[in-house]
Structure formats: structure tokens, C-alpha cells
């Protein structure tokens, strides 16, 4: 199975300041078709996850442009340019390149 | 508006069975792969498995932790997805989400249900 490792586990941030989350996979996420199936999800307390970013860097419909994704191969990053109060919660990376699909352990973003 | 609504959760004894349903609306259900993802209390997300669409013969994929105990099915005429869980153990205690695979090969989940809580306890 592909192991997804996220850092940090927790990220206290000041409103209006940037935040960055790293996700590393135990093997390359480049599919045999050349695509890389790495997505980012956000889960607020008591809510289901929601899709933010797919295929490394593509924002899902309605996701603010302060969210951006980057990376390649085994190293990926989610950045929030200016954290807002609604951004608190847990962020997960997920790989869909290989079965079983696997998630990172999550990074909790909270306001200082 | 895309909606996914799970039902059927509850308390079950170890070794018991339970069947979850996921009712879909607001999109052409038959076109999409549908997955189950679970989340144990206070823990992260764990993929449970997938049911592909009719065009892909409704084939399934299972996580190793549930293979042989869980069975996925769907009824496109009812816009519904099902998860039959047998031989449950305490480690299966979780909120179970149904999630829609994005158009095509479902390489991301673009919509999620609110979840159904399954508690396995003596």
C-alpha cells in the first residue's frame, strides 16, 4: 500500500497569514497514464470532508483561490495564502493512483 | 444540487451484520463510480471500497481490512448504493461516508454524504 505522510500534525496560524501543509508518498504517484492522482480535502469539525484540490493543483468548483496545490512524484504541498476563520479544521491528502486508495493522517489547522 | 444521504447506521454486537444505504440525488447516479470511506472516532479517513458504474460492469474494489466481510452493491433504478457489513468487529466502529467519484475514472471524490455512524460493541 502507498503510505501518505503529512506534516505538520498541527499548524497554529494567525488570521491573514499563510499556511503550508506537506504530503509525502512512499512511492511515486505518477500513474502509468502519466497523470498524478493526488487530491486535498478539508474537514471542518462535525462535517464530512470536502474536495479542495485534485490532480495536484486543480481547485474544485467554488474553492477560493487562496488555496493552491503543487508538487510532483512523491512530494506535494497545499498552501493557503491568507488563512481565514473558515479554514480551520483538518486537511487530508489522498492518493488515487493505486489501490487501495490511501489518505494522509491529517493536519489540523487552528487559529492562534 | 448533488445530495448523498446515508442511512442504516446503529449499534451492533461483534460478529453481527448491518446494511448501510446511500440515497443519491441531483445527478445521473448511473454514470458515476461510488465509494465508501470511513472514519473511526477521532481518527483519520480510511477508504473502504468502490463500486464502478454499469459501463464498467459494476465491478468492485475492497480495502484489505474489509475484503471478504463487506459487500458493495447499487441499484441505479433507485439511485442507491449499499454496503452490507458482516462479521463486524470493534475496529469497524466508524462514521461511514458514501462519496461520489468524479466524472470518468473517479480519481477524486467531489461530493460526500453526511455519514452514518456504526458502533460495534458488546
Amino acid at each position: 500500500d502507498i503510505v501518505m505522510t503529512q506534516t505538520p500534525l498541527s499548524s497554529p496560524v494567525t488570521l491573514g497569514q499563510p499556511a503550508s501543509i506537506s504530503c509525502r508518498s512512499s512511492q511515486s504517484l505518477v500513474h502509468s497514464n502519466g497523470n498524478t492522482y493526488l487530491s486535498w480535502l478539508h474537514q471542518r469539525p462535525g462535517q464530512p470532508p470536502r474536495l479542495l484540490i485534485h490532480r495536484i493543483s486543480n481547485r474544485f468548483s467554488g474553492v477560493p483561490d487562496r488555496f493552491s496545490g503543487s508538487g510532483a512524484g512523491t512530494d506535494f504541498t497545499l498552501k493557503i495564502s491568507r488563512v481565514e476563520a473558515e479554514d480551520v479544521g483538518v486537511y487530508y491528502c489522498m492518493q488515487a493512483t493505486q489501490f487501495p486508495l490511501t489518505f494522509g493522517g491529517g493536519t489540523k489547522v487552528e487559529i492562534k | 444540487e448533488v445530495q448523498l444521504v446515508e442511512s442504516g447506521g446503529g449499534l451492533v454486537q461483534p460478529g453481527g451484520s448491518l446494511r448501510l444505504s446511500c440515497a443519491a440525488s441531483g445527478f445521473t447516479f448511473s454514470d458515476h463510480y461510488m465509494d465508501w470511506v470511513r472514519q473511526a472516532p477521532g481518527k483519520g479517513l480510511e477508504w473502504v471500497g468502490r463500486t464502478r458504474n454499469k459501463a464498467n460492469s459494476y465491478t468492485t474494489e475492497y480495502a484489505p481490512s474489509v475484503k471478504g466481510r463487506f459487500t458493495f452493491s447499487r441499484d441505479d433504478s433507485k439511485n442507491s448504493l449499499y454496503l452490507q457489513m458482516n462479521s463486524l468487529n470493534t475496529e469497524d466502529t466508524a462514521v461511514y461516508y458514501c462519496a461520489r467519484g468524479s466524472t470518468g475514472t473517479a480519481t477524486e471524490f467531489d461530493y460526500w454524504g453526511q455519514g452514518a455512524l456504526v458502533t460495534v460493541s458488546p
Side-chain angles (χ1 to χ4, degrees):
Chain A
D1 298 3
I2 297 178
V3 177
M4 306 295 287
T5 303
Q6 286 182 235
T7 55
L9 291 180
S10 177
S11 179
V13 295
T14 302
L15 287 174
Q17 293 301 302
S20 180
I21 299 170
S22 173
C23 176
R24 179 166 291 178
S25 57
S26 60
Q27 56 188 274
S28 174
L29 297 187
V30 179
H31 193 273
S32 57
N33 64 13
N35 292 317
T36 300
Y37 298 120
L38 184 283
S39 55
W40 290 95
L41 304 108
H42 175 216
Q43 186 176 35
R44 296 187 179 106
Q47 295 294 313
R50 67 180 185 113
L51 180 64
L52 290 177
I53 302 279
H54 61 100
R55 300 195 190 186
I56 303 177
S57 59
N58 296 278
R59 275 189 304 276
F60 183 56
S61 174
V63 174
D65 60 7
R66 64 179 181 274
F67 291 93
S68 64
S70 62
T74 61
D75 288 285
F76 306 93
T77 302
L78 175 70
K79 292 184 179 178
I80 311 173
S81 60
R82 296 172 303 280
V83 171
E84 298 188 6
E86 64 182 16
D87 299 337
V88 299
V90 181
Y91 291 79
Y92 296 95
C93 58
M94 185 195 91
Q95 69 81 19
T97 294
Q98 180 184 114
F99 289 108
L101 308 190
T102 49
F103 295 87
T107 295
K108 187 174 184 178
V109 171
E110 51 193 2
I111 305 301
K112 281 183 184 175
Chain B
E1 180 192 5
V2 173
Q3 285 197 328
L4 298 170
V5 179
E6 299 92 341
S7 60
L11 175 64
V12 60
Q13 292 188 333
S17 298
L18 205 61
R19 189 195 197 206
L20 301 183
S21 300
C22 171
S25 61
F27 66 101
T28 305
F29 180 74
S30 58
D31 284 348
H32 288 262
Y33 296 6
M34 297 295 298
D35 286 43
W36 291 96
V37 176
R38 67 183 181 183
Q39 186 170 36
K43 302 297 184 183
L45 301 169
E46 179 189 14
W47 179 75
V48 176
R50 165 169 299 173
T51 306
R52 294 183 177 86
N53 55 13
K54 181 178 181 180
N56 289 275
S57 305
Y58 299 124
T59 53
T60 54
E61 304 285 346
Y62 292 88
S65 59
V66 305
K67 195 169 187 178
R69 300 187 300 123
F70 289 12
T71 303
F72 310 132
S73 61
R74 60 191 290 168
D75 185 338
D76 290 352
S77 69
K78 296 182 178 179
N79 290 338
S80 292
L81 179 72
Y82 304 103
L83 170 55
Q84 176 67 44
M85 301 182 288
N86 298 330
S87 302
L88 286 162
N89 57 61
T90 55
E91 294 177 347
D92 296 316
T93 294
V95 173
Y96 285 75
Y97 297 102
C98 61
R100 188 183 88 161
S102 58
T103 302
T105 54
T107 50
E108 55 273 344
F109 304 136
D110 54 6
Y111 290 94
W112 297 62
Q114 288 294 315
L117 176 61
V118 173
T119 304
V120 184
S121 179

